[in-house]
Amino acid sequence: MDLKTKLEELAESSMTAIKNSDTLDEIETLRVQLLGKKGALTDLLKMMKDLEASERPVVGKLANEIRDDLTERITDKKEELEQQALNEQLKEETIDVTLPGRQYKKGQTHVIHQVMEEMEDLFLGMGYKIISGSEIVSDYLNFERVNVPQDHPARDMQDSFYINDHYLLRTQTSAVQPLIIEAHDFSQGPLKVISPGKVYRRDSDDATHSHQFHQIEGIVVDENITMADLMGTLEVMSKEIFGADRRVRFRPSYFPFTEPSVEVDVSCFNCDGAGCRICKHSGWIEILGAGMIHPNVLEMSHVDSTKYSGFAFGVGPDRMAMLKYGVDDIRHFFLNDQRFLSQFHQKGEE
């Protein structure tokens, strides 16, 4: 049998095999068997060297036509099988649009941020600005600029997270106070600012303490600011957060950055002052510390303390939330337990 006849027979049998292929694997195997480096057509073409010179062009042309035809048929068959596979997949994965949809629960504002936003709305309405400070501050700014020198015993009360010898995670939002005062132009009016944010102390984690918590620093500086202004402001704030029927008490205290200083208590919202477990049977609950800004703090911020005075207060939103909602463990706020967090819905949230 001559080479031309063998090529024609290979072409005829191959077309039948291509037509009868049912899967992509079968058509790929057939392609390799026919057209691969060791395929049937390649083996026949190796016999070209034995042909007469006059026969080679004719047989070579026939071989090329057969290769092109088989390649096209294999490609067409492969595309046909791929389309079949896609159609079957789409049929199996058809979505029944008549099925009821799944209802997803909406998220909500974290309870601590609800308290912070409530405080911010209150003070914005009183003409305050909101300024955030850096959480990484210098030792000098965190302590010395708020009248806490290196040898001051108050530093022993705040075990801090130091990044290096000069920088640390701020232990109080008071660290923003000197820069805000220094940057203010008093010819444009009084300084009235609150600064909310996170603070860090190496505290033992227990039901009432956390190494990370929140504070809101409040600052007012102008001419003729007195203790009466501070007391009136904090009374408005306390009644807004805890209820209009709450009574407010101011007790003398000590803070290095204010003089005089006070601790602020509200009458217990659980027993209305009669005495219970929540208020430790005193009838009062401590909520924050405050005072008149120390003259040293004003002077270090290049403000004339003989002309200007001011007050400052520090509120803990975490503690406010615990007291307001009767939460007995501060760690609940940070565990992301939806059973706990879903109890606190803000106005407008479902």
Side-chain angles (χ1 to χ4, degrees):
M1 186 182 300
D2 61 17
L3 180 57
K4 182 180 178 182
T5 303
K6 290 181 179 179
L7 287 170
E8 290 172 346
E9 288 183 354
L10 176 65
E12 186 176 348
S13 62
S14 298
M15 286 187 285
T16 302
I18 293 171
K19 184 178 180 180
N20 295 333
S21 297
D22 295 325
T23 66
L24 289 170
D25 288 340
E26 286 182 10
I27 197 67
E28 178 60 19
T29 300
L30 187 59
R31 184 192 68 79
V32 174
Q33 290 176 347
L34 293 175
L35 306 177
K37 291 183 178 181
K38 297 182 179 180
L41 182 59
T42 304
D43 288 341
L44 289 178
L45 292 177
K46 291 178 180 178
M47 300 171 60
M48 290 277 292
K49 64 180 186 299
D50 300 327
L51 295 177
E52 296 291 337
S54 59
E55 294 180 306
R56 289 177 186 172
V58 177
V59 175
K61 180 181 178 182
L62 176 62
N64 288 332
E65 291 174 351
I66 291 174
R67 179 191 287 111
D68 293 343
D69 183 62
L70 293 180
T71 300
E72 184 177 353
R73 288 175 184 271
I74 289 172
T75 300
D76 291 345
K77 186 65 176 182
K78 184 177 180 181
E79 291 177 354
E80 178 187 336
L81 293 172
E82 286 175 344
Q83 186 61 47
Q84 288 179 5
L86 178 60
N87 292 339
E88 291 176 2
Q89 182 181 1
L90 292 174
K91 186 177 180 181
E92 292 176 358
E93 297 178 359
T94 299
I95 299 174
D96 186 353
V97 295
T98 65
L99 290 173
R102 295 184 180 91
Q103 186 174 3
Y104 293 94
K105 291 184 178 180
K106 293 182 179 179
Q108 65 187 61
T109 307
H110 193 281
V111 58
I112 291 178
H113 283 276
Q114 290 183 33
V115 173
M116 294 177 75
E117 289 176 1
E118 190 175 352
M119 298 273 288
E120 289 173 2
D121 289 344
L122 170 64
F123 282 100
L124 283 172
M126 296 168 66
Y128 285 66
K129 293 181 179 180
I130 299 175
I131 299 178
S132 298
S134 173
E135 294 179 17
I136 299 177
V137 297
S138 66
D139 178 282
Y140 174 71
L141 191 63
N142 191 78
F143 292 116
E144 295 178 44
R145 282 292 298 272
V146 290
N147 205 38
V148 186
Q150 292 186 0
D151 58 351
H152 199 285
R155 290 204 183 193
D156 297 335
M157 300 168 61
Q158 299 183 12
D159 199 1
S160 311
F161 290 102
Y162 274 86
I163 296 173
N164 55 36
D165 291 340
H166 303 290
Y167 287 89
L168 71 157
L169 297 177
R170 65 181 180 184
T171 63
Q172 54 203 7
T173 47
S174 300
V176 76
Q177 185 181 135
L179 297 181
I180 292 175
I181 296 174
E182 186 174 317
H184 184 71
D185 181 1
F186 286 94
S187 66
Q188 301 299 312
L191 169 64
K192 299 173 70 176
V193 167
I194 62 169
S195 180
K198 292 192 289 288
V199 296
Y200 307 85
R201 297 180 189 176
R202 291 185 59 193
D203 236 334
S204 56
D205 286 346
D206 55 35
T208 59
H209 296 86
S210 173
H211 65 278
Q212 171 193 297
F213 52 100
H214 298 79
Q215 279 189 350
I216 298 178
E217 179 82 4
I219 312 167
V220 172
V221 180
D222 196 15
E223 296 183 44
N224 303 316
I225 298 296
T226 68
M227 194 71 165
D229 298 309
L230 169 63
M231 296 173 71
T233 299
L234 296 182
E235 185 170 0
V236 170
M237 182 201 74
S238 301
K239 290 179 178 292
E240 178 70 22
I241 299 299
F242 294 108
D245 56 345
R246 292 300 105 221
R247 300 182 304 281
V248 182
R249 182 176 73 173
F250 298 86
R251 292 179 289 109
S253 186
Y254 168 76
F255 301 108
F257 28 83
T258 53
E259 179 60 38
S261 305
V262 292
E263 298 278 3
V264 183
D265 305 330
V266 294
S267 57
C268 181
F269 42 80
N270 184 61
C271 66
D272 198 26
C276 66
R277 180 182 62 85
I278 293 178
C279 63
K280 299 179 181 178
H281 303 283
S282 69
W284 298 92
I285 298 175
E286 178 186 326
I287 59 170
L288 61 92
M292 301 301 293
I293 298 175
H294 199 290
N296 290 349
V297 176
L298 295 174
E299 293 292 344
M300 283 189 286
S301 297
H302 311 295
V303 174
D304 185 357
S305 62
T306 62
K307 181 179 180 180
Y308 294 96
S309 58
F311 65 75
F313 58 87
V315 184
D318 313 57
R319 177 166 174 77
M320 299 284 268
M322 291 180 71
L323 296 173
K324 185 174 183 178
Y325 297 110
V327 177
D328 59 2
D329 194 324
I330 193 173
R331 292 170 293 190
H332 291 321
F333 293 130
F334 308 113
L335 295 179
N336 290 329
D337 188 334
Q338 290 300 309
R339 296 170 299 178
F340 171 77
L341 296 175
S342 62
Q343 300 176 77
F344 310 101
H345 290 284
Q346 199 171 31
K347 290 181 181 179
E349 294 180 341
E350 297 180 0

